[in-house]
Amino acid sequence: MPRDVAQLVGELTLDEKTRLLAGADLWSTTAVERLGIPSVRVTDGPNGARGPMLAEMVEGEPLTALCVPCGAALGATWDVELIERVGAVLGEEARTKACRVLLAPTVNLHRSPLGGRNFESYSEDPVLAGRIATAFVAGAQSRGVVTTVKHFAGNESELDRFVADSVVDERTLRELYLVPFEMAVRQGGALGIMTSYNRLNGEHCADSATLLAGILRDEWGFEGFVVSDWFALAQTPLAIRAGLDLEMPGPARAYGPALVEAVRGGVVAESDVDAAVTRLLGTLDRVGALDHDPAEQPRSVDDPGHRAVARQAAIGATVLLRNDGVLPLEADRLRRVAVIGPNAARAQIMGGGSANLPAHRLVSPLEALRSRLGAGVELVHEAGVDISLTTPEVPGRWLTGDDGEPGLTVSFFAPDDLGGAILHRDRRDSGTAVWFGAPAASVGDTWSCRATATLEVDEPGPWLLSLVQTGPSRLLLDGEVVLDGTAGPLPPGHDFLGLGSRELTVEVDLRPDHPVALVLECTNPDGGLLAGAKLGVRPAPAADGIDRAVAAARDADAVVVVVGTDADWESEGADRTSMNLPGRQDELVERILAVAPDAVVVLNTGSVVLTPWAERARALLQVWFGGEEMADGLVDVLLGDAEPGGRLPTTVPVRLEHNPSHGNFPAENGRVVYGERLFVGYRWYEERHLPVAFPFGHGLSYTRFELGRPVCSATRLRAGEGIVVEVPVTNVGDRTGSEVVQLYVGCDEPLLARPPKELKAFARITLDPGETGTVRLELDGRSFAYWQPGDPDADRFAHLLATQVAWVRPPSGLGRERGWAVDPGAHHLHVGRSSAVVDHVVTVEVVDGGPVPG
Ligand code: BGC
């Protein structure tokens, strides 16, 4: 039932209003029970609705959730209908987690291939990112949840992310980085926006009136609420005046009591508080969240319909980069298949950080192939190389606690008193023994603990055991100290959102049927919020791994090599440091191709990587971090049950150094200078005539298409007018398949510097062999426009010129209005299948240039 929000706000006290504007805890808003305002739960995130807790922090069984392909993979679908279905599924998933706010989508651009969250975001191109975001938002919100489009704005790198200042000129912001947000708001009707941690041109985004009050609300007409990123540095008066409505997480730091004080002290107008509360409650009411039953419990619901959509998305995202007649494989002719690579026998389906979640299913490519090909086909597997940056936790089934149950039993003591009285007992289901906040009231914030179990592996070693700690810790096996982190602080590592140490490792010879007594002693002397340790285990890397892989490939009649990264190499909180595949993977691929030239190489990464051997690979697929259906989708594609639908959402350069942000990435002394300005991705490589490894928009099909001559609804237009371009497409191959027709606009004689051409429209069409269909590409007035920053000095110059030096020619920007503008003259429409493959160029004439509405 819709509520009278104005009346509700009128009835709230100042104290209640300011409490409402900050979270109650990590994942929920504050309730005002007196007036029937419930606490509303929120959940990450872009590749699944994880539910209210981070897996490693939850007590008991973690909630599982559907994991859909990562953002870059969704960008690679170029399929807005499919993404709307993905959004709807995640909206429904959020509801199963009793959540009404989904902290997604991530729409920051792939400015550098090294961006740590590139896997989470869609593309280097704002229009592709914007259309995918629009579809995602519309789908998710149709299920009664608010989406929070994030991270607004200029959050294209992770180094120093809480404080770094993104220095971006106005044109670049307007034409590139703000566009996906604008589209998600104006076209997708997004009801939430999450500000980013970073500063933008000197201002923290959570405090920026320019961004929030000005651009977002006044210009774009945004009607929803703005939430801060978690623990972002917001300043009470600035943030509330700018229009930041919800401080997350709780308890309040900038809002709550601090806001009451600011109002009472006359620093903040109560009307600003009222406006924020009205927006927050009004938005929650709009999706029915004020009727939410706070007693509703999150559930894990593995819905076959949802899985089917995740499978379509995984297939739709898979980019066939090269295929020299190798794919699809003929299943009937396979007798022995070698499945090689560090990611072949593991389900590497998502990146790291807040997007990470416990998926309903984990299926590796090896397992998926085994179950599809059946017992009649022999599968041999060799990892070849080890790429672990960190070690996975010891699985619970290898640990037996003192109570006979899988996992660790834990006793808590006072700090430095492991021999003293036990203050509390607890248990953990696996080798991760971490607590968020005080483990129990009887323990307090500082403590020490001893976790015990017997450890028994299920395959013979040698094994590598690892220890990651937040405070001094050590590991004993059969009474002997094997890992000791008590001597002094260790350098920071990748676990626990960067709060964990770098890992200590030791090689041990563990065997099945030989249990050993394990004791883990940890301390939290400083009262850290997230504290404990992680015990990891992985096979000790074999020295002859590549030789064994080569031998396996030599004897097989088909070879699939799954190389890539993982959630440690690609994670929120850190940028990548290289575009190369980690470890000795290039060497592995080269050696395999030398003996098995038809090997299918599969890139299982969240972002694009360099493949120096690509020209020798006859079949190359990019499957990204493809979500929980990735492996089965890969098998569908390998065997030709489905065709890979993806197109690259980001250019793969020949070298990292060719990338436009190189030299300006990531932050230097806290500043990230977007020095390449508008020339991001293909815009740059084309302007500089740089060769690329794979162009933006590239992706092959199992069939072939011809694009007929485009027909434009008009070839002469006025500034602000749009046109429709229809392109006939014929499937001239012998299989059903789909093509993505891409339209790029370039201007002949731009007044200001502009990239040679820019994506403005695209459409996917599926056709049977011999069939012809027509795609419709719509260009609106903005498709021809650029942002004219105007002349900030116009008044001063006009005065000087008129009064003193009338013979000086006025500066070129003088008198130009700030805003969107279209140049007069010829504009070229490049219609093709990638930024590099253009089938037709059609010229239209803009008869009168000038300003156009935003
Ligand atoms: C991330 C957000 C995320 C939030 C809550 C932050 O660290 O930047 O994207 O939604 O945490 O997990």
Side-chain angles (χ1 to χ4, degrees), residues 27 44 50 54 103 106 117 120 150-151 155 161 194 197 229-230 354 572:
W27 308 113
D44 279 306
R50 182 189 60 228
L54 285 178
L103 306 173
T106 307
R117 295 182 89 166
E120 215 181 300
K150 63 190 188 182
H151 308 86
N155 186 188
R161 65 177 177 154
M194 184 190 288
Y197 288 126
D229 199 348
W230 265 231
S354 59
E572 173 181 338

Side-chain angles (χ1 to χ4, degrees), residues 3-218:
R3 306 279 282 273
D4 184 339
V5 171
Q7 187 187 340
L8 208 51
V9 175
E11 290 172 34
L12 286 162
T13 65
L14 176 63
D15 182 59
E16 286 167 335
K17 286 186 285 198
T18 58
R19 279 197 290 120
L20 271 171
L21 295 185
D25 55 31
L26 264 177
W27 308 113
S28 38
T29 64
T30 304
V32 178
E33 275 154 25
R34 178 179 80 81
L35 293 173
I37 299 173
S39 168
V40 176
R41 288 190 179 127
V42 309
T43 173
D44 279 306
N47 54 216
R50 182 189 60 228
M53 289 168 233
L54 285 178
E56 65 263 33
M57 299 172 188
V58 70
E59 297 228 16
E61 281 297 299
L63 285 165
T64 61
L66 180 83
C67 178
V68 301
C70 71
L74 297 183
T77 66
W78 293 62
D79 188 337
V80 288
E81 280 159 24
L82 176 58
I83 299 304
E84 188 160 344
R85 276 185 280 137
V86 170
V89 158
L90 292 193
E92 288 169 16
E93 286 277 314
R95 300 293 297 268
T96 66
K97 298 291 181 286
C99 292
R100 302 303 289 254
V101 179
L102 181 65
L103 306 173
T106 307
V107 305
N108 302 105
L109 297 184
H110 298 167
R111 174 175 169 247
S112 160
L114 303 182
R117 295 182 89 166
N118 279 10
F119 74 88
E120 215 181 300
S121 33
Y122 298 135
S123 173
E124 72 184 15
D125 184 87
V127 168
L128 176 58
R131 287 199 58 197
I132 297 287
T134 298
F136 182 99
V137 163
Q141 292 190 170
S142 71
R143 299 305 194 260
V145 301
V146 174
T147 56
T148 65
V149 187
K150 63 190 188 182
H151 308 86
F152 193 51
N155 186 188
E156 273 72 30
S157 51
E158 290 294 280
L159 182 69
D160 296 338
R161 65 177 177 154
F162 293 99
V163 290
D165 186 15
S166 296
V167 181
V168 198
D169 70 277
E170 185 182 356
R171 250 194 98 191
T172 303
L173 265 180
R174 293 291 190 156
E175 292 186 32
L176 297 180
Y177 297 99
L178 294 184
V179 170
F181 292 98
E182 180 179 5
M183 290 172 75
V185 166
R186 289 182 140 171
Q187 297 169 23
L191 291 171
I193 289 283
M194 184 190 288
T195 54
S196 53
Y197 288 126
N198 53 279
R199 287 173 293 152
L200 180 63
N201 297 324
E203 275 186 313
H204 269 289
C205 293
D207 300 335
S208 172
T210 318
L211 268 184
L212 306 186
I215 295 175
L216 180 64
R217 291 209 164 93
D218 290 352

